[in-house]
Amino acid sequence: MKITIVGSGYVGLVTGACFSEVGIDVVCVDIDQNKIANLNKGIIPIYEPGLEDMITRNMSKGRLSFTTNIAEAVKGSEVLFISVGTPPDEDGSADLKYVLAVARDCGKHMKDYMLVVTKSTVPVGTSKKVKQAIQEELIKRDVNIPFDVASNPEFLKEGAAIDDFLKPDRIVVGLESQRAEDLMKSLYKPFTMNGHPVIFMDIVSAEMTKYAANSMLATKISFINDIANLCEIVGADINKVRKGIGSDSRIGHKFIYPGIGYGGSCFPKDVQALIRTAGDYNYELKVLKAVEEVNNSQKLVLFTKIKNYFNGDLKGKTIALWGLSFKPQTDDMREAPSLSIVKNLLEAGANVKAYDPVAIEEAKHHFGDTIAYYEDQYETLIDADCLAILTEWPEFKFPNFRIISKLLNFPAIFDGRNIYDKDEMKQIGFEYFCIGVDTSNTVLKFENSFIG
């Protein structure tokens, strides 16, 4: 079987690599000539564990190729996946111009039956627009070529996308015909032999499932962050509360870790788009509006703690940051809390020194030369007045606190991901501030600590 994937970004590359890994011939298409040239040289534009090796391996075996020529790519393809971006408009709605451009290209170049599958995250009703765009181009050509459309939303976690694709919790497919269902069953058979389910449904329900899933996860994050803020006020410990509620099987432990807000390419955009979709139908999603409001304010909680520590004056202060990506195991900084925190630190007159294991190059696109970048986490601490942890990279979980103590001007750590224990921080002499825990009684004066 041969398939075409249009859009060689995060979703397109992971999808193409994983399908080729099980023996399917895959052609990935993108209009970015520089990106395609680099991919053909083995240069991958994103960081995702395992992806580069998988792409290189399947290119060498001739199962995976990259091109800018969609007309050539669709020849002999039974299935075409649309995996292009759907950036939010100013009003929060998803911009479908790239999706519909691909649909029109399908109509212009298809020669035989084709199943056109939307993999991009799109609003409810998009597949109807895709179908119409294809049909309009076929009419212009005065040809009658049968085709189907389908929706196959992705549920990939950045940093674990390869495993998510090869061993999915579920595969959701929305379609309209038995022929399309048979094709999708055949395509996904290698991934379902171990019992991973394919859930077939109508297209509208499939489109809604993607938005509803991400919005539900975002809701859990904002809920626990809101509760964390209340815990800090009343003197409760959110880490203990989280364990208490997470042990309830109806709630579970996933996505109830307090922090400085969610980010990335999915949750912020999808929450906004679903709110907008509801508005288009004269319905107000009050819960999701609150979710978004809580998340926006949560991104500034750590900045406020830092500012208060220095009595409201950050002019001339140097703040060391560990972590810039929105989560570990990715260089993605879209909607990352670090963007808001750095912006506010700079506006307050502070100097910023930053380290991230993989996101430094991406950070330079956002911050330019307004902050200093380092290749070693401890170098950021030299002459810094405090340390703030923005991303829970594994290498930050067991640092050398003795070195941290000697390098910082003040023994202050602001932990935006709650990766340290407040009692341990007290024992070794740090002033420690985290999320959802009243740490006012854990502060020891630096001169009294054994590491001073």
Side-chain angles (χ1 to χ4, degrees), residues 218-230 259-262 271 275 286-301 435:
T219 299
K220 293 185 73 173
I221 293 171
S222 281
F223 173 81
I224 202 66
N225 282 334
D226 220 13
I227 295 297
N229 296 335
L230 180 59
I260 48 178
Y262 58 77
V271 168
I275 291 172
K286 297 178 182 178
V287 171
L288 282 192
K289 286 186 175 181
V291 167
E292 186 176 39
E293 181 181 352
V294 168
N295 192 62
N296 289 336
S297 63
Q298 195 69 18
K299 291 181 178 181
L300 295 181
V301 166
I435 307 299

Side-chain angles (χ1 to χ4, degrees), residues 250-267:
R250 297 170 300 175
I251 299 172
H253 292 284
K254 294 182 179 180
F255 287 88
I256 57 169
Y257 288 86
I260 48 178
Y262 58 77
S265 63
C266 293
F267 289 4

Side-chain angles (χ1 to χ4, degrees), residues 243-434:
K243 293 177 182 177
I245 66 174
S247 61
D248 187 327
S249 61
R250 297 170 300 175
I251 299 172
H253 292 284
K254 294 182 179 180
F255 287 88
I256 57 169
Y257 288 86
I260 48 178
Y262 58 77
S265 63
C266 293
F267 289 4
K269 176 172 68 71
D270 293 355
V271 168
Q272 289 179 6
L274 192 51
I275 291 172
R276 176 66 182 181
T277 296
D280 290 341
Y281 289 87
N282 297 315
Y283 186 78
E284 183 181 13
L285 287 172
K286 297 178 182 178
V287 171
L288 282 192
K289 286 186 175 181
V291 167
E292 186 176 39
E293 181 181 352
V294 168
N295 192 62
N296 289 336
S297 63
Q298 195 69 18
K299 291 181 178 181
L300 295 181
V301 166
L302 206 66
F303 165 76
T304 301
K305 290 176 182 288
I306 296 171
K307 187 176 180 180
N308 290 342
Y309 178 80
F310 291 105
N311 299 314
D313 185 10
L314 290 175
K315 291 182 180 179
K317 295 293 187 294
T318 298
I319 314 300
L321 303 182
W322 283 5
L324 295 170
S325 58
F326 86 95
K327 61 181 284 189
Q329 306 303 328
T330 181
D331 62 350
D332 195 344
M333 289 184 58
R334 286 173 288 185
E335 301 292 335
S338 63
L339 299 176
S340 297
I341 292 171
V342 169
K343 177 178 179 291
N344 280 271
L345 287 172
L346 294 176
E347 289 178 351
N351 304 307
V352 176
K353 306 169 73 175
Y355 167 78
D356 188 284
V358 303
I360 290 299
E361 291 305 313
E362 181 63 25
K364 291 177 181 178
H365 295 304
H366 294 276
F367 305 129
D369 58 1
T370 61
I371 70 174
Y373 308 95
Y374 293 84
E375 295 182 357
D376 179 85
Q377 66 195 73
Y378 295 106
E379 287 185 24
T380 64
L381 307 178
I382 298 173
D383 293 327
D385 294 303
C386 69
L387 167 64
I389 298 168
L390 308 188
T391 313
E392 64 277 29
W393 283 96
E395 64 191 80
F396 300 158
K397 293 182 178 179
F398 294 97
N400 189 321
F401 288 112
R402 193 176 297 273
I403 293 178
I404 296 175
S405 165
K406 290 182 178 180
L407 293 178
L408 286 176
N409 293 334
F410 298 89
I413 295 179
F414 295 85
D415 183 358
R417 300 299 180 179
N418 288 17
I419 60 177
Y420 303 136
D421 181 87
K422 66 170 185 171
D423 295 326
E424 291 179 3
M425 292 296 99
K426 173 182 177 181
Q427 183 180 0
I428 58 180
F430 280 101
E431 296 183 85
Y432 177 68
F433 306 89
C434 60

Side-chain angles (χ1 to χ4, degrees), residues 2-21:
K2 176 188 174 184
I3 66 173
T4 298
I5 297 174
V6 183
S8 296
Y10 185 85
V11 174
L13 285 177
V14 172
T15 301
C18 289
F19 275 134
S20 65
E21 183 75 1

Side-chain angles (χ1 to χ4, degrees), residues 6 70 80-87 94-106 116-123 126-131 133-134 150 207:
V6 183
I70 190 171
L80 182 142
F81 285 91
I82 301 176
S83 300
V84 295
T86 54
D95 187 345
L96 296 177
K97 63 182 177 183
Y98 302 116
V99 171
L100 297 180
V102 176
R104 286 190 288 272
D105 283 339
C106 289
V116 180
V117 184
T118 304
K119 196 94 178 149
S120 303
T121 301
V122 296
T126 297
S127 288
K128 293 180 181 178
K129 296 178 181 179
V130 168
K131 189 173 185 178
I134 296 172
E207 291 171 336

Side-chain angles (χ1 to χ4, degrees), residues 1-5 16 19-20 22-29 62-67 69-81 109 111-117 183-184 186-187:
M1 179 183 288
K2 176 188 174 184
I3 66 173
T4 298
I5 297 174
F19 275 134
S20 65
V22 297
I24 296 169
D25 291 328
V26 180
V27 180
C28 290
V29 183
R63 293 193 295 254
L64 179 62
S65 61
F66 300 94
T67 183
N69 191 332
I70 190 171
E72 288 296 319
V74 299
K75 289 181 179 179
S77 288
E78 298 178 70
V79 183
L80 182 142
F81 285 91
H109 301 298
K111 303 295 185 183
D112 300 298
Y113 171 85
M114 181 178 289
L115 172 59
V116 180
V117 184
L183 257 180
M184 294 300 282
S186 176
L187 188 60

